Amino acid sequence: MAIRYTLWLYPDNQALHRSVEADLEQYFLERFADYPHIRLFGADPYDYDAPFNRLYDVLIARAADYCERHWQYVPTPIQLNKAFFLAVGHSTKFVRDSHHGDPHQSGT
């Protein structure tokens, strides 16, 4: 199997990698605007049909295609995942059910 990931092929091109990663985060933020608010807690995290999990799968695939078309760049799964979750952290589209995070934790 051939190495396809641009990061692996050109590890010294840090400026390109940082630019693509920043663009990916912005890409995800813009896509989140197309969806209604999504609850982060309450659903089974392993349920593939949960709204957040469906959104993740779809947007990761679209972002990979976007990078290849727009940048002629093949991102690693880690780059995609990191940009996605950084965007989740900066987005106002995600609603947390609990003030302290996981609703299954007992408060003290």
Side-chain angles (χ1 to χ4, degrees), residues 28-47:
F28 286 123
L29 282 169
E30 290 171 5
R31 298 297 80 71
F32 295 158
D34 297 338
Y35 294 90
H37 286 85
I38 295 175
R39 296 202 178 280
L40 289 180
F41 302 114
D44 178 0
Y46 300 106
D47 178 5

mmCIF file of all heavy atoms in Angstrom, residues 28-47:
data_model
loop_
_atom_site.group_PDB
_atom_site.id
_atom_site.type_symbol
_atom_site.label_atom_id
_atom_site.label_comp_id
_atom_site.label_asym_id
_atom_site.label_seq_id
_atom_site.Cartn_x
_atom_site.Cartn_y
_atom_site.Cartn_z
ATOM 1 N N PHE A 28 -15.042 23.000 9.009
ATOM 2 C CA PHE A 28 -16.008 22.360 9.900
ATOM 3 C C PHE A 28 -16.931 23.385 10.551
ATOM 4 O O PHE A 28 -18.144 23.167 10.633
ATOM 5 C CB PHE A 28 -15.295 21.525 10.971
ATOM 6 C CG PHE A 28 -14.707 20.246 10.447
ATOM 7 C CD1 PHE A 28 -13.357 19.976 10.593
ATOM 8 C CD2 PHE A 28 -15.490 19.296 9.813
ATOM 9 C CE1 PHE A 28 -12.813 18.793 10.124
ATOM 10 C CE2 PHE A 28 -14.958 18.112 9.329
ATOM 11 C CZ PHE A 28 -13.613 17.858 9.489
ATOM 12 N N LEU A 29 -16.391 24.502 11.007
ATOM 13 C CA LEU A 29 -17.226 25.540 11.616
ATOM 14 C C LEU A 29 -18.296 26.019 10.637
ATOM 15 O O LEU A 29 -19.460 26.208 11.023
ATOM 16 C CB LEU A 29 -16.368 26.716 12.079
ATOM 17 C CG LEU A 29 -15.624 26.513 13.389
ATOM 18 C CD1 LEU A 29 -14.607 27.625 13.596
ATOM 19 C CD2 LEU A 29 -16.590 26.449 14.559
ATOM 20 N N GLU A 30 -17.925 26.199 9.399
ATOM 21 C CA GLU A 30 -18.893 26.631 8.391
ATOM 22 C C GLU A 30 -19.952 25.563 8.132
ATOM 23 O O GLU A 30 -21.115 25.880 7.918
ATOM 24 C CB GLU A 30 -18.166 27.000 7.104
ATOM 25 C CG GLU A 30 -17.351 28.265 7.232
ATOM 26 C CD GLU A 30 -16.459 28.528 6.028
ATOM 27 O OE1 GLU A 30 -16.530 27.770 5.032
ATOM 28 O OE2 GLU A 30 -15.667 29.486 6.099
ATOM 29 N N ARG A 31 -19.556 24.306 8.122
ATOM 30 C CA ARG A 31 -20.531 23.229 7.905
ATOM 31 C C ARG A 31 -21.490 23.112 9.097
ATOM 32 O O ARG A 31 -22.661 22.829 8.918
ATOM 33 C CB ARG A 31 -19.845 21.878 7.705
ATOM 34 C CG ARG A 31 -18.919 21.757 6.498
ATOM 35 C CD ARG A 31 -19.543 21.915 5.128
ATOM 36 N NE ARG A 31 -19.792 23.246 4.669
ATOM 37 C CZ ARG A 31 -18.854 24.153 4.296
ATOM 38 N NH1 ARG A 31 -17.587 23.877 4.337
ATOM 39 N NH2 ARG A 31 -19.205 25.346 3.876
ATOM 40 N N PHE A 32 -20.988 23.321 10.304
ATOM 41 C CA PHE A 32 -21.855 23.232 11.484
ATOM 42 C C PHE A 32 -23.003 24.235 11.388
ATOM 43 O O PHE A 32 -24.093 23.987 11.894
ATOM 44 C CB PHE A 32 -21.078 23.485 12.774
ATOM 45 C CG PHE A 32 -20.021 22.464 13.101
ATOM 46 C CD1 PHE A 32 -18.971 22.796 13.941
ATOM 47 C CD2 PHE A 32 -20.058 21.181 12.573
ATOM 48 C CE1 PHE A 32 -17.992 21.871 14.256
ATOM 49 C CE2 PHE A 32 -19.083 20.243 12.884
ATOM 50 C CZ PHE A 32 -18.046 20.602 13.733
ATOM 51 N N ALA A 33 -22.756 25.365 10.747
ATOM 52 C CA ALA A 33 -23.788 26.392 10.619
ATOM 53 C C ALA A 33 -24.995 25.886 9.821
ATOM 54 O O ALA A 33 -26.090 26.430 9.957
ATOM 55 C CB ALA A 33 -23.202 27.639 9.960
ATOM 56 N N ASP A 34 -24.806 24.852 9.031
ATOM 57 C CA ASP A 34 -25.893 24.292 8.219
ATOM 58 C C ASP A 34 -26.827 23.382 9.016
ATOM 59 O O ASP A 34 -27.850 22.954 8.488
ATOM 60 C CB ASP A 34 -25.321 23.482 7.052
ATOM 61 C CG ASP A 34 -24.514 24.337 6.091
ATOM 62 O OD1 ASP A 34 -24.731 25.563 6.061
ATOM 63 O OD2 ASP A 34 -23.654 23.775 5.388
ATOM 64 N N TYR A 35 -26.479 23.073 10.259
ATOM 65 C CA TYR A 35 -27.239 22.119 11.058
ATOM 66 C C TYR A 35 -27.876 22.805 12.257
ATOM 67 O O TYR A 35 -27.362 23.816 12.748
ATOM 68 C CB TYR A 35 -26.314 20.995 11.557
ATOM 69 C CG TYR A 35 -25.782 20.132 10.438
ATOM 70 C CD1 TYR A 35 -24.593 20.453 9.792
ATOM 71 C CD2 TYR A 35 -26.479 19.017 10.018
ATOM 72 C CE1 TYR A 35 -24.106 19.678 8.763
ATOM 73 C CE2 TYR A 35 -25.999 18.230 8.980
ATOM 74 C CZ TYR A 35 -24.822 18.567 8.362
ATOM 75 O OH TYR A 35 -24.347 17.801 7.334
ATOM 76 N N PRO A 36 -28.978 22.231 12.763
ATOM 77 C CA PRO A 36 -29.551 22.759 14.007
ATOM 78 C C PRO A 36 -28.631 22.422 15.181
ATOM 79 O O PRO A 36 -27.650 21.687 15.025
ATOM 80 C CB PRO A 36 -30.880 22.015 14.126
ATOM 81 C CG PRO A 36 -30.676 20.760 13.351
ATOM 82 C CD PRO A 36 -29.713 21.094 12.242
ATOM 83 N N HIS A 37 -28.954 22.939 16.337
ATOM 84 C CA HIS A 37 -28.154 22.629 17.522
ATOM 85 C C HIS A 37 -28.167 21.120 17.789
ATOM 86 O O HIS A 37 -29.179 20.458 17.596
ATOM 87 C CB HIS A 37 -28.687 23.376 18.734
ATOM 88 C CG HIS A 37 -28.337 24.828 18.685
ATOM 89 N ND1 HIS A 37 -29.103 25.749 18.014
ATOM 90 C CD2 HIS A 37 -27.288 25.508 19.191
ATOM 91 C CE1 HIS A 37 -28.553 26.938 18.122
ATOM 92 N NE2 HIS A 37 -27.443 26.826 18.823
ATOM 93 N N ILE A 38 -27.033 20.601 18.239
ATOM 94 C CA ILE A 38 -26.889 19.173 18.483
ATOM 95 C C ILE A 38 -26.442 18.966 19.921
ATOM 96 O O ILE A 38 -25.499 19.604 20.385
ATOM 97 C CB ILE A 38 -25.862 18.549 17.515
ATOM 98 C CG1 ILE A 38 -26.393 18.650 16.097
ATOM 99 C CG2 ILE A 38 -25.564 17.104 17.884
ATOM 100 C CD1 ILE A 38 -25.431 18.176 15.046
ATOM 101 N N ARG A 39 -27.117 18.071 20.621
ATOM 102 C CA ARG A 39 -26.756 17.747 22.000
ATOM 103 C C ARG A 39 -25.555 16.813 22.002
ATOM 104 O O ARG A 39 -25.513 15.843 21.267
ATOM 105 C CB ARG A 39 -27.915 17.088 22.721
ATOM 106 C CG ARG A 39 -29.093 18.009 22.860
ATOM 107 C CD ARG A 39 -30.010 17.582 23.986
ATOM 108 N NE ARG A 39 -31.102 18.515 24.127
ATOM 109 C CZ ARG A 39 -31.016 19.688 24.749
ATOM 110 N NH1 ARG A 39 -29.888 20.060 25.282
ATOM 111 N NH2 ARG A 39 -32.039 20.494 24.827
ATOM 112 N N LEU A 40 -24.585 17.136 22.852
ATOM 113 C CA LEU A 40 -23.380 16.316 22.924
ATOM 114 C C LEU A 40 -23.535 15.139 23.873
ATOM 115 O O LEU A 40 -22.877 14.131 23.714
ATOM 116 C CB LEU A 40 -22.187 17.170 23.377
ATOM 117 C CG LEU A 40 -21.690 18.168 22.360
ATOM 118 C CD1 LEU A 40 -20.520 18.949 22.933
ATOM 119 C CD2 LEU A 40 -21.268 17.478 21.086
ATOM 120 N N PHE A 41 -24.363 15.274 24.883
ATOM 121 C CA PHE A 41 -24.498 14.205 25.865
ATOM 122 C C PHE A 41 -25.910 13.653 25.839
ATOM 123 O O PHE A 41 -26.824 14.289 25.342
ATOM 124 C CB PHE A 41 -24.158 14.714 27.259
ATOM 125 C CG PHE A 41 -22.781 15.289 27.355
ATOM 126 C CD1 PHE A 41 -22.593 16.628 27.606
ATOM 127 C CD2 PHE A 41 -21.671 14.500 27.149
ATOM 128 C CE1 PHE A 41 -21.321 17.163 27.676
ATOM 129 C CE2 PHE A 41 -20.396 15.019 27.211
ATOM 130 C CZ PHE A 41 -20.223 16.365 27.483
ATOM 131 N N GLY A 42 -26.086 12.481 26.391
ATOM 132 C CA GLY A 42 -27.406 11.869 26.471
ATOM 133 C C GLY A 42 -27.534 10.654 25.578
ATOM 134 O O GLY A 42 -28.145 9.682 25.943
ATOM 135 N N ALA A 43 -26.963 10.705 24.389
ATOM 136 C CA ALA A 43 -27.036 9.556 23.478
ATOM 137 C C ALA A 43 -25.882 8.600 23.777
ATOM 138 O O ALA A 43 -24.860 8.982 24.322
ATOM 139 C CB ALA A 43 -26.956 10.028 22.036
ATOM 140 N N ASP A 44 -26.083 7.365 23.402
ATOM 141 C CA ASP A 44 -25.030 6.364 23.536
ATOM 142 C C ASP A 44 -23.881 6.742 22.602
ATOM 143 O O ASP A 44 -24.079 6.877 21.393
ATOM 144 C CB ASP A 44 -25.597 5.000 23.162
ATOM 145 C CG ASP A 44 -24.581 3.876 23.211
ATOM 146 O OD1 ASP A 44 -23.402 4.137 23.540
ATOM 147 O OD2 ASP A 44 -24.973 2.733 22.934
ATOM 148 N N PRO A 45 -22.653 6.940 23.125
ATOM 149 C CA PRO A 45 -21.551 7.362 22.263
ATOM 150 C C PRO A 45 -21.181 6.328 21.193
ATOM 151 O O PRO A 45 -20.520 6.659 20.220
ATOM 152 C CB PRO A 45 -20.394 7.589 23.228
ATOM 153 C CG PRO A 45 -20.750 6.833 24.453
ATOM 154 C CD PRO A 45 -22.252 6.776 24.507
ATOM 155 N N TYR A 46 -21.629 5.092 21.363
ATOM 156 C CA TYR A 46 -21.320 4.044 20.390
ATOM 157 C C TYR A 46 -22.467 3.806 19.414
ATOM 158 O O TYR A 46 -22.394 2.916 18.578
ATOM 159 C CB TYR A 46 -20.968 2.744 21.110
ATOM 160 C CG TYR A 46 -19.757 2.925 22.001
ATOM 161 C CD1 TYR A 46 -19.884 3.001 23.375
ATOM 162 C CD2 TYR A 46 -18.484 3.076 21.448
ATOM 163 C CE1 TYR A 46 -18.771 3.195 24.184
ATOM 164 C CE2 TYR A 46 -17.373 3.277 22.243
ATOM 165 C CZ TYR A 46 -17.517 3.338 23.609
ATOM 166 O OH TYR A 46 -16.424 3.538 24.403
ATOM 167 N N ASP A 47 -23.526 4.594 19.513
ATOM 168 C CA ASP A 47 -24.671 4.478 18.621
ATOM 169 C C ASP A 47 -24.365 5.223 17.326
ATOM 170 O O ASP A 47 -24.298 6.448 17.296
ATOM 171 C CB ASP A 47 -25.915 5.065 19.294
ATOM 172 C CG ASP A 47 -27.142 5.023 18.400
ATOM 173 O OD1 ASP A 47 -27.074 4.451 17.286
ATOM 174 O OD2 ASP A 47 -28.188 5.568 18.816
#
